[in-house]
């Protein structure tokens, strides 16, 4: 009787350990997928910020050229 109890306790312990391992694997894979998705959004956001900074620079240049033209009347300030 005691031998059967030991055998079932070892098999049961192994089954619990295996179940925990499978659950841990599933959770880890899900977290990696979420991090991968988040990384894609971070890269997209950085690209948008870079393009906005470039656009802001172009707007400042246009504004400066317009101001120079209005002060002097020289059309060279309107050229890019």
């Amino acid at each position: 009787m005691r031998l059967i109890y030991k055998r079932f306790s070892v098999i049961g312990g192994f089954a619990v350990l295996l179940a925990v391992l499978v659950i841990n694997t599933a959770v880890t894979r899900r977290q990696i997928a979420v991090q991968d998705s988040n990384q894609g959004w971070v890269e997209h956001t950085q690209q948008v910020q870079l393009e906005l900074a470039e656009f802001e620079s172009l707007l400042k240049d246009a504004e400066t050229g317009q101001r120079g033209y209005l002060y002097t009347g020289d059309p060279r300030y309107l050229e890019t």
Side-chain angles (χ1 to χ4, degrees):
M1 182 70 176
R2 210 154 166 80
L3 182 63
I4 293 174
Y5 177 72
K6 274 187 174 182
R7 184 173 290 172
F8 281 126
S9 65
V10 168
I11 291 173
F14 182 73
V16 168
L17 184 62
L18 187 61
V20 168
L21 182 64
V22 168
I23 292 170
N24 186 29
T25 302
V27 169
T28 302
R29 289 190 71 175
R30 168 104 170 93
Q31 290 299 322
I32 289 173
V34 168
Q35 286 180 352
D36 188 42
S37 174
N38 289 344
Q39 182 62 31
W41 280 110
V42 167
E43 290 171 2
H44 176 264
T45 301
Q46 290 172 342
Q47 182 64 32
V48 169
Q49 287 177 336
L50 177 65
E51 291 176 11
L52 284 174
E54 290 174 4
F55 183 71
E56 181 182 18
S57 176
L58 289 173
L59 282 177
K60 285 181 183 178
D61 291 345
E63 186 179 320
T64 302
Q66 183 183 27
R67 189 179 315 113
Y69 174 74
L70 290 175
Y71 284 149
T72 65
D74 187 358
R76 286 185 305 156
Y77 285 105
L78 298 178
E79 295 175 2
T80 55

